[in-house]
Amino acid sequence: QVQLVESGGGVVRAGGSLRLSCIDSARTFSSDTLGWFRQAPGKEREFVALIDGIGAYTHYAESVKGRFTTSRDATTNTMYLQMNNLRPEDTAVYFCAVDRSGPGFSDHAHHYSFWGRGTQVTVSS
């Protein structure tokens, strides 16, 4: 039932900003923990950020702390990832995902049951 679509990716110079959006067209993830992951060519998928079901708690990978902010809007059932001071090493396909594995919060990809198809972020030096 959950169908996720990411948008907002693109090409930006180092130091620039992008805002990614993730929406469930069925509007069914309003109470779920949501996560952002990314995968660069030749690398494993890695955790980026998560936000709890009501937007009261967030957690970030060390590599993006202070630069990225995730949020959610319950009225539109949309999750956002604001990315500032982007670096070339941030280049990757970014995915949003829904965690329905149970209570608690996880930054492990295997706990996330539903995934979008991804949006490409490219940061030039």
Side-chain angles (χ1 to χ4, degrees):
Q1 187 174 8
V2 176
Q3 299 183 40
L4 305 177
V5 179
E6 304 95 337
S7 63
V11 180
V12 65
R13 291 184 177 181
S17 298
L18 287 172
R19 188 178 76 162
L20 306 184
S21 299
C22 173
I23 187 168
D24 174 15
S25 61
R27 297 180 177 270
T28 57
F29 66 23
S30 60
S31 62
D32 295 322
T33 296
L34 306 177
W36 288 101
F37 294 80
R38 67 187 182 187
Q39 188 165 18
K43 296 184 178 181
E44 298 291 328
R45 187 178 303 175
E46 66 175 341
F47 168 77
V48 176
L50 66 81
I51 186 165
D52 78 335
I54 61 173
Y57 172 82
T58 57
H59 174 62
Y60 301 91
E62 288 294 328
S63 60
V64 306
K65 282 184 178 178
R67 300 188 298 119
F68 291 10
T69 303
T70 189
S71 60
R72 63 194 299 166
D73 184 348
T75 65
T76 60
N77 215 27
T78 303
M79 176 176 64
Y80 301 98
L81 184 67
Q82 178 66 46
M83 305 184 294
N84 298 324
N85 193 23
L86 284 160
R87 304 166 180 169
E89 54 264 40
D90 294 319
T91 295
V93 176
Y94 283 70
F95 301 89
C96 65
V98 179
D99 181 1
R100 289 186 173 176
S101 65
F105 312 107
S106 176
D107 58 7
H108 296 288
H110 69 270
H111 288 140
Y112 289 77
S113 301
F114 302 94
W115 297 80
R117 67 191 301 272
T119 186
Q120 177 71 48
V121 172
T122 301
V123 184
S124 62
S125 60

PDB file of all heavy atoms in Angstrom, residues 13-32:
ATOM      1  N   ARG A  13      26.920  22.660  -7.016  1.00  0.00           N
ATOM      2  CA  ARG A  13      28.327  22.843  -6.676  1.00  0.00           C
ATOM      3  C   ARG A  13      28.563  22.635  -5.194  1.00  0.00           C
ATOM      4  O   ARG A  13      27.658  22.803  -4.378  1.00  0.00           O
ATOM      5  CB  ARG A  13      28.789  24.247  -7.066  1.00  0.00           C
ATOM      6  CG  ARG A  13      28.855  24.503  -8.554  1.00  0.00           C
ATOM      7  CD  ARG A  13      29.407  25.884  -8.827  1.00  0.00           C
ATOM      8  NE  ARG A  13      29.542  26.147 -10.251  1.00  0.00           N
ATOM      9  CZ  ARG A  13      30.022  27.264 -10.756  1.00  0.00           C
ATOM     10  NH1 ARG A  13      30.428  28.242  -9.950  1.00  0.00           N
ATOM     11  NH2 ARG A  13      30.102  27.413 -12.066  1.00  0.00           N
ATOM     12  N   ALA A  14      29.776  22.264  -4.863  1.00  0.00           N
ATOM     13  CA  ALA A  14      30.148  22.123  -3.461  1.00  0.00           C
ATOM     14  C   ALA A  14      29.827  23.404  -2.702  1.00  0.00           C
ATOM     15  O   ALA A  14      30.089  24.510  -3.178  1.00  0.00           O
ATOM     16  CB  ALA A  14      31.626  21.789  -3.332  1.00  0.00           C
ATOM     17  N   GLY A  15      29.250  23.243  -1.526  1.00  0.00           N
ATOM     18  CA  GLY A  15      28.832  24.372  -0.726  1.00  0.00           C
ATOM     19  C   GLY A  15      27.390  24.772  -0.941  1.00  0.00           C
ATOM     20  O   GLY A  15      26.844  25.570  -0.165  1.00  0.00           O
ATOM     21  N   GLY A  16      26.773  24.221  -1.957  1.00  0.00           N
ATOM     22  CA  GLY A  16      25.396  24.540  -2.257  1.00  0.00           C
ATOM     23  C   GLY A  16      24.416  23.714  -1.447  1.00  0.00           C
ATOM     24  O   GLY A  16      24.798  22.920  -0.592  1.00  0.00           O
ATOM     25  N   SER A  17      23.139  23.906  -1.746  1.00  0.00           N
ATOM     26  CA  SER A  17      22.075  23.251  -0.994  1.00  0.00           C
ATOM     27  C   SER A  17      21.049  22.625  -1.917  1.00  0.00           C
ATOM     28  O   SER A  17      20.838  23.086  -3.049  1.00  0.00           O
ATOM     29  CB  SER A  17      21.357  24.262  -0.090  1.00  0.00           C
ATOM     30  OG  SER A  17      22.230  24.824   0.867  1.00  0.00           O
ATOM     31  N   LEU A  18      20.413  21.592  -1.416  1.00  0.00           N
ATOM     32  CA  LEU A  18      19.283  20.963  -2.072  1.00  0.00           C
ATOM     33  C   LEU A  18      18.295  20.534  -0.999  1.00  0.00           C
ATOM     34  O   LEU A  18      18.689  20.263   0.133  1.00  0.00           O
ATOM     35  CB  LEU A  18      19.693  19.732  -2.882  1.00  0.00           C
ATOM     36  CG  LEU A  18      20.448  19.934  -4.187  1.00  0.00           C
ATOM     37  CD1 LEU A  18      20.933  18.585  -4.712  1.00  0.00           C
ATOM     38  CD2 LEU A  18      19.571  20.613  -5.223  1.00  0.00           C
ATOM     39  N   ARG A  19      17.041  20.454  -1.366  1.00  0.00           N
ATOM     40  CA  ARG A  19      16.038  19.893  -0.480  1.00  0.00           C
ATOM     41  C   ARG A  19      15.341  18.743  -1.177  1.00  0.00           C
ATOM     42  O   ARG A  19      14.735  18.923  -2.236  1.00  0.00           O
ATOM     43  CB  ARG A  19      14.998  20.930  -0.040  1.00  0.00           C
ATOM     44  CG  ARG A  19      14.062  20.386   1.049  1.00  0.00           C
ATOM     45  CD  ARG A  19      13.047  21.393   1.535  1.00  0.00           C
ATOM     46  NE  ARG A  19      11.971  21.584   0.580  1.00  0.00           N
ATOM     47  CZ  ARG A  19      10.789  22.130   0.876  1.00  0.00           C
ATOM     48  NH1 ARG A  19      10.565  22.554   2.117  1.00  0.00           N
ATOM     49  NH2 ARG A  19       9.873  22.286  -0.060  1.00  0.00           N
ATOM     50  N   LEU A  20      15.438  17.578  -0.572  1.00  0.00           N
ATOM     51  CA  LEU A  20      14.766  16.404  -1.084  1.00  0.00           C
ATOM     52  C   LEU A  20      13.409  16.239  -0.411  1.00  0.00           C
ATOM     53  O   LEU A  20      13.238  16.579   0.758  1.00  0.00           O
ATOM     54  CB  LEU A  20      15.599  15.143  -0.841  1.00  0.00           C
ATOM     55  CG  LEU A  20      17.042  15.153  -1.345  1.00  0.00           C
ATOM     56  CD1 LEU A  20      17.683  13.794  -1.108  1.00  0.00           C
ATOM     57  CD2 LEU A  20      17.101  15.538  -2.817  1.00  0.00           C
ATOM     58  N   SER A  21      12.471  15.706  -1.152  1.00  0.00           N
ATOM     59  CA  SER A  21      11.149  15.421  -0.624  1.00  0.00           C
ATOM     60  C   SER A  21      10.822  13.955  -0.841  1.00  0.00           C
ATOM     61  O   SER A  21      11.278  13.341  -1.807  1.00  0.00           O
ATOM     62  CB  SER A  21      10.084  16.274  -1.316  1.00  0.00           C
ATOM     63  OG  SER A  21      10.314  17.649  -1.117  1.00  0.00           O
ATOM     64  N   CYS A  22      10.031  13.419   0.056  1.00  0.00           N
ATOM     65  CA  CYS A  22       9.558  12.047  -0.056  1.00  0.00           C
ATOM     66  C   CYS A  22       8.094  12.045   0.331  1.00  0.00           C
ATOM     67  O   CYS A  22       7.735  12.492   1.423  1.00  0.00           O
ATOM     68  CB  CYS A  22      10.349  11.124   0.866  1.00  0.00           C
ATOM     69  SG  CYS A  22       9.716   9.432   0.958  1.00  0.00           S
ATOM     70  N   ILE A  23       7.272  11.546  -0.553  1.00  0.00           N
ATOM     71  CA  ILE A  23       5.845  11.522  -0.283  1.00  0.00           C
ATOM     72  C   ILE A  23       5.278  10.138  -0.559  1.00  0.00           C
ATOM     73  O   ILE A  23       5.685   9.469  -1.515  1.00  0.00           O
ATOM     74  CB  ILE A  23       5.101  12.596  -1.108  1.00  0.00           C
ATOM     75  CG1 ILE A  23       3.636  12.685  -0.688  1.00  0.00           C
ATOM     76  CG2 ILE A  23       5.232  12.335  -2.602  1.00  0.00           C
ATOM     77  CD1 ILE A  23       2.920  13.906  -1.242  1.00  0.00           C
ATOM     78  N   ASP A  24       4.373   9.725   0.300  1.00  0.00           N
ATOM     79  CA  ASP A  24       3.606   8.509   0.079  1.00  0.00           C
ATOM     80  C   ASP A  24       2.285   8.939  -0.528  1.00  0.00           C
ATOM     81  O   ASP A  24       1.473   9.588   0.130  1.00  0.00           O
ATOM     82  CB  ASP A  24       3.376   7.770   1.395  1.00  0.00           C
ATOM     83  CG  ASP A  24       2.451   6.575   1.254  1.00  0.00           C
ATOM     84  OD1 ASP A  24       2.193   6.130   0.122  1.00  0.00           O
ATOM     85  OD2 ASP A  24       1.985   6.076   2.301  1.00  0.00           O
ATOM     86  N   SER A  25       2.084   8.586  -1.767  1.00  0.00           N
ATOM     87  CA  SER A  25       0.877   9.008  -2.458  1.00  0.00           C
ATOM     88  C   SER A  25      -0.390   8.473  -1.811  1.00  0.00           C
ATOM     89  O   SER A  25      -1.455   9.071  -1.963  1.00  0.00           O
ATOM     90  CB  SER A  25       0.938   8.586  -3.932  1.00  0.00           C
ATOM     91  OG  SER A  25       1.020   7.185  -4.073  1.00  0.00           O
ATOM     92  N   ALA A  26      -0.277   7.376  -1.083  1.00  0.00           N
ATOM     93  CA  ALA A  26      -1.425   6.804  -0.390  1.00  0.00           C
ATOM     94  C   ALA A  26      -1.652   7.426   0.984  1.00  0.00           C
ATOM     95  O   ALA A  26      -2.647   7.112   1.629  1.00  0.00           O
ATOM     96  CB  ALA A  26      -1.266   5.294  -0.247  1.00  0.00           C
ATOM     97  N   ARG A  27      -0.728   8.251   1.444  1.00  0.00           N
ATOM     98  CA  ARG A  27      -0.827   8.930   2.732  1.00  0.00           C
ATOM     99  C   ARG A  27      -1.030   7.953   3.877  1.00  0.00           C
ATOM    100  O   ARG A  27      -1.934   8.104   4.699  1.00  0.00           O
ATOM    101  CB  ARG A  27      -1.935   9.982   2.698  1.00  0.00           C
ATOM    102  CG  ARG A  27      -1.680  11.096   1.711  1.00  0.00           C
ATOM    103  CD  ARG A  27      -2.800  12.112   1.708  1.00  0.00           C
ATOM    104  NE  ARG A  27      -2.502  13.218   0.800  1.00  0.00           N
ATOM    105  CZ  ARG A  27      -1.860  14.327   1.155  1.00  0.00           C
ATOM    106  NH1 ARG A  27      -1.443  14.488   2.396  1.00  0.00           N
ATOM    107  NH2 ARG A  27      -1.636  15.277   0.255  1.00  0.00           N
ATOM    108  N   THR A  28      -0.149   6.959   3.955  1.00  0.00           N
ATOM    109  CA  THR A  28      -0.267   5.918   4.964  1.00  0.00           C
ATOM    110  C   THR A  28       0.901   5.848   5.937  1.00  0.00           C
ATOM    111  O   THR A  28       0.878   5.021   6.842  1.00  0.00           O
ATOM    112  CB  THR A  28      -0.422   4.538   4.296  1.00  0.00           C
ATOM    113  OG1 THR A  28       0.685   4.295   3.422  1.00  0.00           O
ATOM    114  CG2 THR A  28      -1.714   4.471   3.502  1.00  0.00           C
ATOM    115  N   PHE A  29       1.932   6.692   5.798  1.00  0.00           N
ATOM    116  CA  PHE A  29       3.077   6.605   6.701  1.00  0.00           C
ATOM    117  C   PHE A  29       3.087   7.687   7.779  1.00  0.00           C
ATOM    118  O   PHE A  29       4.131   7.963   8.365  1.00  0.00           O
ATOM    119  CB  PHE A  29       4.398   6.569   5.934  1.00  0.00           C
ATOM    120  CG  PHE A  29       4.802   7.801   5.147  1.00  0.00           C
ATOM    121  CD1 PHE A  29       4.319   9.070   5.434  1.00  0.00           C
ATOM    122  CD2 PHE A  29       5.718   7.667   4.114  1.00  0.00           C
ATOM    123  CE1 PHE A  29       4.718  10.180   4.714  1.00  0.00           C
ATOM    124  CE2 PHE A  29       6.138   8.772   3.376  1.00  0.00           C
ATOM    125  CZ  PHE A  29       5.636  10.023   3.669  1.00  0.00           C
ATOM    126  N   SER A  30       1.961   8.249   8.097  1.00  0.00           N
ATOM    127  CA  SER A  30       1.894   9.379   9.021  1.00  0.00           C
ATOM    128  C   SER A  30       2.390   9.074  10.427  1.00  0.00           C
ATOM    129  O   SER A  30       2.794   9.996  11.142  1.00  0.00           O
ATOM    130  CB  SER A  30       0.468   9.919   9.080  1.00  0.00           C
ATOM    131  OG  SER A  30      -0.439   8.930   9.531  1.00  0.00           O
ATOM    132  N   SER A  31       2.369   7.829  10.856  1.00  0.00           N
ATOM    133  CA  SER A  31       2.808   7.473  12.196  1.00  0.00           C
ATOM    134  C   SER A  31       4.051   6.583  12.213  1.00  0.00           C
ATOM    135  O   SER A  31       4.434   6.069  13.263  1.00  0.00           O
ATOM    136  CB  SER A  31       1.680   6.784  12.959  1.00  0.00           C
ATOM    137  OG  SER A  31       1.294   5.582  12.321  1.00  0.00           O
ATOM    138  N   ASP A  32       4.693   6.422  11.086  1.00  0.00           N
ATOM    139  CA  ASP A  32       5.855   5.539  10.974  1.00  0.00           C
ATOM    140  C   ASP A  32       7.162   6.310  11.081  1.00  0.00           C
ATOM    141  O   ASP A  32       7.248   7.478  10.701  1.00  0.00           O
ATOM    142  CB  ASP A  32       5.847   4.810   9.626  1.00  0.00           C
ATOM    143  CG  ASP A  32       4.681   3.861   9.465  1.00  0.00           C
ATOM    144  OD1 ASP A  32       4.314   3.199  10.451  1.00  0.00           O
ATOM    145  OD2 ASP A  32       4.125   3.788   8.345  1.00  0.00           O
TER     146      ASP A  32
END
